[in-house]
Amino acid sequence: MRSVISIAPGKSILFGEHAVVYGFPAIAMAISVNSECRINEIEENKIKIILYNYDQVFEANNIKTLSQKFSSKYNQISECFYNFQKDYGVQIENVEIKIISNLFPSAGLGSSASIAVSLINALNCYYELNLKKEEINSLAYELEKIVHGSPSGIDNTICTFGNAIYFENGKFDYVKIPQEFLFLITYTNIEHNTKEAINRIRHLKEINSKQTEQFLKQIGKITKKAKVELTRNNIQEIGKLMNLNQKYLSNLQVSNEQISEIINISLKNGAFGSKLTGAGLGGCVITLGKRKDLEKISSILKAKGYKSFIAKNDKLGVICEKK
Ligand code: PMV
């Protein structure tokens, strides 16, 4: 009986969120916390889908019946199956497909892209299609459009290729991070709303254009400096730049009480730097530091009801193991 496991990393925006919407650069990084898709061949003539995080199981003996059972929330998955049947002529049958994500959903960690990439790569691997990562990435981008409308493509690119990317005006460039570094990702317990956060800055720009533009421009400068420091592995300097970036995000009113509390605890306990990651107004905070400090910070934050995990930068992107 055939069996494959495909694993795709999540993502975190290290620098430049929001400013990127106005043409300034951003840096996103793949993180070692991931989503996983397992496909096992089964004897029964059916397709069984297990969505572990949602505690949902769907079964049918063909894709059409299966997708009718899905709620619109899972359109991304049925679209993926249809694309594979149509574009690659594979018959999806006699399989159990299990999807598990270790990423907080709606938290700016690219969970939908990570799930899409792991599923596409699992199908690629199981049906031995030998698709290149570029193809996996563009298929994932199509699925991301279903979830996010017109996404930038950062999430699917990072989840497919891993590493870190410098993103500016629709173009990607890899940032070579020479060594592994550790960080803490803390969830504020508030789902973030990217649209609301973007609108907040747009409104700020309308009522106070000069100052808002100045803040965005400063973030652009910080991101450019951070690119250089990342390639030099200058962790302390990266931490300082994160703090500075956070200051401007806070001026742009996309921080909140929980984000500030997490950052204050982190910086008081030895972190090099700490900032919101993604849209803000909730979602997650990323904190850079030494393992022992991050462990201490994590336990203080857990005692306050926050969820956090220590992660490192991922360099592999999506991978697949056959059994
Ligand atoms: O929270 P996320 O991961 O969806 O990131 C949003 C980042 C923004 O810069 C606010 C928007 C964007 O499309 O780049």
Side-chain angles (χ1 to χ4, degrees), residues 67 70-83 119 143 146-147:
S67 53
F70 284 161
S71 72
S72 58
K73 194 171 160 187
Y74 310 123
N75 275 351
Q76 209 197 14
I77 297 173
S78 17
E79 192 64 23
C80 180
F81 292 152
Y82 280 125
N83 287 347
L119 172 63
L143 300 189
I146 299 171
V147 183

Side-chain angles (χ1 to χ4, degrees), residues 11 13 16-21 26 107-110 148 150-152 154-155 167 192 194 197-198 277-280:
K11 78 109 202 326
I13 298 183
E17 49 275 90
H18 288 292
V20 70
V21 175
L109 300 181
H148 297 297
S150 50
S152 62
I154 290 184
D155 289 17
F167 178 83
H192 80 333
T194 304
I198 289 176
T277 176

